Structure formats: structure tokens, C-alpha cells
Amino acid sequence: MKEFAGKIAVITGGGTGMGRELARQLVAEGCNVAMCDVSEATMAETRRLCEVEKLPQGLRVTTHVADVSIEDHLKRFRDELAEQQKTDKIHLLFNNAGIGGGGSLFTNTREQWERTFNICWGGVYLGVRTFLPMLVKADEAHIINTASVNGFWASIGMNQAHTAYSSAKFAVKGFSEALINDLRLHAPHVKCSVVMPGHIGTSIVSNSRKVQSGDGSERLNAEEVVLTRKRMVAAGVPDADKKSDEEIQAAFAERARTFLEEAPTTAAQAARIILDGVKAERWRILVGEDAKLLDERVRAAPEQAYDRAFYESFTQEAGWRLG
């Protein structure tokens, strides 16, 4: 697929981050976009940004509230899309939605763990299941599944468990690679790519907290304050055990801010890399120099990938401050 003009793209998690930037760049190239998210307000802002420059006549940007971990939500999204976009086919499926959290089998609840896994993995699986018939009906189509560097390296540091997100992203990577031949055998006009971003400047830290808690607030609840303080103590933050609850709240807010604003790759840059990768029909799209570096290091020394020396050496070279 060398151009996107006149095509129809589905984007999950279109309210913020890479999903928003994919929508903006696709629309700028003349592509119709149907996006879903759990937040109607953030999608409205994405749509407004898409429409800042007057849309070409007939181009459609539609928004649909859906939780990608719930199959009935995705089916409703599909049916609304078909009606509002006036189509029975789509050309691009970006399974982009994801959250963090629920990292530990010990300190997090089963509900938190499975919430992360069911969105990050289940949303991709159900997205493909739901939209595959519409992709097959197109003359050419492409599935783009967002995994992560955590799809080949299950860690963000030595002091924080990261099992739910990493398990989901490993599943997305394996599923996407297996799809390559499944599609080749049964629908050769449909391609598939797996996207593996490094640290991208998005709102995933604050968004994950909102989704996991269900209250939509920017602030930690009492239980989250306790867990955050424990993580800070384990990470060796000076006097973390003596910090007040408000100081813990401030530390969390600062972490969310730095993750968004101080990342080595912006969401807009990431979206451009992804779209260029789709046009080049690359099945494996690494996003960011940190992703490329980590991929090289894990391949070179897989047995050492979870040793402290590996982590410290990599983060020093890549400039990561995540764990």
C-alpha cells in the first residue's frame, strides 16, 4: 500500500498519543478514519485537530466509544463504522490501544493484572477477529499491531515488576508473526506488521491510572499512594518512606509529565515511522533509536538480558529513566 488517500483506516486508542497522531497524519494524506477510545472527550479533541485544516470534500472522521477488551463493544464499533463511513470494507487496522499497570502477581490485584492483559493483548486479538472480514473485502489491506520493546524484553528495570504488560506484548508479537503466513495462505492481499516502540512521549502513565482505577481522576487513591511509596523505597529514592501523601502524589504527576514530555521520540515521530513502515511493507517496525539499540543488545546477549549490568549499561547508553 503505497498511499493512503481514499482508504479507510480503523484506529483503536485514537484519543491520545500515537493513536491521535496516526489519525492526524492519515487524514492529512486523505485517508478516512474511524477511531475508538474509552474517552469520548479525548477523541473529540483528536477529531478537532484532524479538522483544523479543512477536510477534503467527502472525507470522514468518525469517533466511537469502545473498550477494546470487550468483544461486544468492538462489534458495535464495527457496525457504527459501516453505517457512518458507508462501507463494508476497510483498508487499514491499527490495533493501537493499550495501558500499563498490574505489573506484579504479588502486589497488584488479579483484576488490575487482567485489565492490562485483556486490553493490550485481548484488544489486538479481538480487533483482528472483528475487522478481518472487512479487511478481506478490500482490494488491499494491512493490519498493524502495536506491541512494544517489552514484546522481546520483559522489563522496565530491576526495581519494578512488569509482568502483565510484557506478557501481553509478547503475545501480540507472536500473534502478528504467525499471522504473516496465515494471511499469505488465506488472504494474500492482506499484510501484517508488528510495531515495537521504545519510549514514546505519550500519556500512557496517567491514562493507565485512569483506566485501572475507573474513576477518571489524575490523582492516586489511598491504596495507590501506598504502593507508589513502596516502589520508590525499593528504587532507592532518598527518604521515600518519609514523604507525605501529597509528596507521593506530586512524584507520580512528575513521572507522568516526564514520560510524556522528555521521551526520546514523540508520538508524532512514532506515527510517521509506523506509516512509512506500512508503505514499505515492513512486517517488523522498530520505533525509536532506543528500540533498535535494545533489540541489538538482547539478540547479542539473551542470557544476560535480565541482569542488572545489562539494564544499567543499556539505560546509560539510551538515556532511559523508567525503572
Side-chain angles (χ1 to χ4, degrees):
M1 193 179 298
K2 301 304 180 186
E3 60 180 34
F4 303 131
K7 302 295 196 297
I8 301 172
V10 167
I11 305 171
T12 68
T16 58
M18 291 194 302
R20 172 176 287 175
E21 295 302 329
L22 285 167
R24 294 181 68 184
Q25 293 181 30
L26 284 164
V27 167
E29 294 194 36
C31 185
N32 299 282
V33 167
M35 74 187 84
C36 79
D37 203 291
V38 293
S39 170
E40 190 167 12
T42 58
M43 282 192 293
E45 176 62 10
T46 298
R47 182 171 180 170
R48 185 193 70 79
L49 291 168
C50 289
E51 294 174 346
V52 166
E53 301 293 335
K54 189 175 180 181
L55 298 180
Q57 186 174 5
L59 196 69
R60 295 185 177 93
V61 179
T62 58
T63 61
H64 311 263
V65 176
D67 180 334
V68 296
S69 68
I70 301 173
E71 188 169 12
D72 285 347
H73 283 206
L74 285 173
K75 288 180 177 179
R76 185 184 66 225
F77 173 26
R78 177 199 61 200
D79 295 343
E80 290 175 357
L81 176 163
E83 179 181 358
Q84 295 177 30
Q85 296 272 352
K86 304 184 188 308
T87 185
D88 64 348
K89 63 177 70 71
I90 64 170
H91 304 88
L92 294 154
L93 172 62
F94 293 88
N95 285 308
N96 165 78
I99 65 167
S104 174
L105 291 170
F106 297 89
T107 60
N108 295 107
T109 65
R110 178 169 179 168
E111 289 73 22
Q112 290 170 328
W113 201 99
E114 293 183 357
R115 185 82 177 117
T116 298
F117 187 81
N118 290 341
I119 289 174
C120 291
W121 155 242
V124 172
Y125 169 68
L126 293 174
V128 172
R129 278 284 189 192
T130 301
F131 289 102
L132 189 59
M134 297 184 79
L135 290 159
V136 171
K137 284 184 179 180
D139 55 353
E140 60 175 348
H142 206 120
I143 298 166
I144 304 94
N145 295 330
T146 300
S148 165
V149 292
N150 290 131
F152 59 78
W153 185 68
S155 177
I156 53 171
M158 308 303 294
N159 299 312
Q160 184 171 337
H162 201 48
T163 60
Y165 187 85
S166 296
S167 299
K169 295 305 186 179
F170 265 79
V172 170
K173 179 176 180 289
F175 175 62
S176 302
E177 293 190 22
L179 263 181
I180 294 170
N181 207 49
D182 201 358
L183 291 168
R184 184 182 291 140
L185 292 169
H186 301 106
H189 63 297
V190 181
K191 309 302 180 185
C192 181
S193 296
V194 58
V195 176
M196 290 174 284
H199 179 191
I200 310 300
T202 72
S203 301
I204 191 171
V205 173
S206 56
N207 287 346
S208 297
R209 193 268 146 201
K210 293 176 185 177
V211 173
Q212 287 283 8
S213 66
D215 62 14
S217 172
E218 298 280 353
R219 290 176 61 81
L220 303 172
N221 60 36
E223 182 181 349
E224 290 167 335
V225 168
V226 171
L227 285 173
T228 301
R229 184 181 285 110
K230 287 181 178 178
R231 289 195 196 104
M232 292 171 67
V233 170
V237 176
D239 297 323
D241 58 332
K242 299 176 183 176
K243 290 185 182 295
S244 68
D245 288 359
E246 280 304 313
E247 287 174 318
I248 298 297
Q249 294 279 5
F252 174 78
E254 177 63 9
R255 178 170 176 259
R257 185 198 68 78
T258 57
F259 192 95
L260 171 64
E261 297 178 6
E262 298 180 10
T265 306
T266 67
Q269 290 168 332
R272 185 73 268 154
I273 293 167
I274 293 166
L275 295 179
D276 287 345
V278 172
K279 288 180 179 179
E281 290 193 359
R282 294 204 305 272
W283 71 262
R284 187 173 187 270
I285 304 173
L286 291 166
V287 182
E289 293 305 311
D290 54 343
K292 295 175 184 177
L293 174 62
L294 185 57
D295 180 53
E296 291 173 0
R297 282 176 169 256
V298 171
R299 288 174 180 275
E303 291 291 334
Q304 286 75 52
Y306 299 106
D307 294 346
R308 182 173 293 276
F310 179 100
Y311 173 73
E312 292 178 349
S313 174
F314 165 70
T315 53
Q316 182 175 3
E317 184 173 353
W320 269 24
R321 295 188 296 116
L322 301 184

